[in-house]
Amino acid sequence: FPTRRSSDLQMNFAKKHKVQCGQFDFREKGAGYDKILADKQIFLRNQKASAEEFERIMKEFPELKGKRVLELGCAYGEIVRLMKAAGVDAVGYEKEPAGVEKNKDCVVQKDLSGVWGEKGEEFDFVFSRAVLEHLPEPAVDSFITQLMFVMKPGALTNHDIDTNQGQDPTHINIHGVDWWKDKFKAFELVKCEHRENGVFNVTWRKA
């Protein structure tokens, strides 16, 4: 649970950037992420991007077929759906109802800034795409603890992390890649590569 100081930080982040952080919601009416996910045109563009990302993940991690896989912050769950069709035992966690509605059979509603780790849910591979920078900074340590909790020994976790604020006001936790490496110091660093525009793809392994 957040301390008083953590709650103050969450409130300040939410108020400054007009977003939702934990219990504080300063989003402008109609500008919420749930509204964005409900947009049909964005959904169609997301399908194309998800198909490309699915191909990239399966090429880099061909051993995932038959494995238990979790995507954190999966939006519509399109990558999860494609993985299931390819023989991967995949599930996604997503906060917004509009995302869950698209693929109810493989997406579970979870708030990653709160408590989301489940006993008995042990995964071989956990990944996210442009999610970590949306977490309030006070929630990061809890997120990593729960990540450790749901991963099997030797499991991999792979994340795209945007280190550039850019024009997205929902990017409330912008740090350099070294900051994230330090946060994940309980894991073994496997690979870190720069993709584009300040986005890094980082893979860690649970000991």
Side-chain angles (χ1 to χ4, degrees):
F1 296 96
T3 63
R4 175 67 179 271
R5 180 174 177 274
S6 296
S7 295
D8 290 344
L9 286 171
Q10 287 185 348
M11 182 182 70
N12 290 336
F13 276 136
K15 196 170 185 179
K16 178 180 178 181
H17 298 290
K18 296 183 179 179
V19 296
Q20 182 177 3
C21 293
Q23 61 183 310
F24 304 105
D25 191 350
F26 286 89
R27 293 177 295 183
E28 295 177 354
K29 187 175 180 181
Y33 183 54
D34 54 339
K35 304 294 184 184
I36 295 172
L37 286 183
D39 187 282
K40 185 176 180 180
Q41 291 302 315
I42 293 176
F43 173 62
L44 293 174
R45 290 199 299 272
N46 183 270
Q47 278 189 311
K48 182 177 183 297
S50 294
E52 293 171 353
E53 189 60 30
F54 162 74
E55 294 290 343
R56 176 155 43 179
I57 292 171
M58 295 305 292
K59 183 178 180 180
E60 185 173 355
F61 303 99
E63 71 278 10
L64 292 184
K65 189 172 182 179
K67 299 293 187 180
R68 185 85 169 124
V69 172
L70 170 65
E71 182 181 7
L72 297 170
C74 64
Y76 304 103
E78 289 301 297
I79 297 177
V80 173
R81 182 181 61 80
L82 291 168
M83 283 184 163
K84 287 181 74 70
V88 179
D89 184 11
V91 65
Y93 290 173
E94 172 55 48
K95 177 182 177 181
E96 301 298 344
V100 178
E101 284 293 318
K102 296 292 184 182
N103 286 296
K104 290 181 179 179
D105 61 323
C106 58
V107 178
V108 180
Q109 190 169 10
K110 298 277 188 179
D111 183 355
L112 299 180
S113 65
V115 178
W116 52 270
E118 297 271 349
K119 280 189 175 180
E121 289 282 19
E122 290 193 323
F123 295 91
D124 300 287
F125 185 80
V126 182
F127 73 101
S128 73
R129 293 294 176 265
V131 169
L132 297 184
E133 59 270 23
H134 294 267
L135 292 176
E137 188 172 324
V140 171
D141 288 339
S142 173
F143 173 89
I144 292 173
T145 297
Q146 292 179 81
L147 182 60
M148 290 280 285
F149 184 69
V150 302
M151 291 173 64
K152 294 179 180 178
L156 295 176
T157 185
N158 175 266
H159 304 271
D160 270 5
I161 304 172
D162 193 342
T163 63
N164 183 12
Q165 176 69 51
Q167 301 299 313
D168 191 338
T170 68
H171 288 186
I172 59 173
N173 193 9
I174 296 297
H175 292 283
V177 70
D178 288 339
W179 187 90
W180 289 103
K181 287 180 182 178
D182 183 65
K183 282 293 181 181
F184 278 78
K185 61 188 175 186
F187 292 81
E188 173 195 350
L189 179 64
V190 176
K191 185 176 65 171
C192 177
E193 62 181 14
H194 180 250
R195 283 195 169 174
E196 57 184 13
N197 299 325
V199 176
F200 286 82
N201 182 262
V202 190
T203 302
W204 288 276
R205 186 189 311 275
K206 180 180 175 181

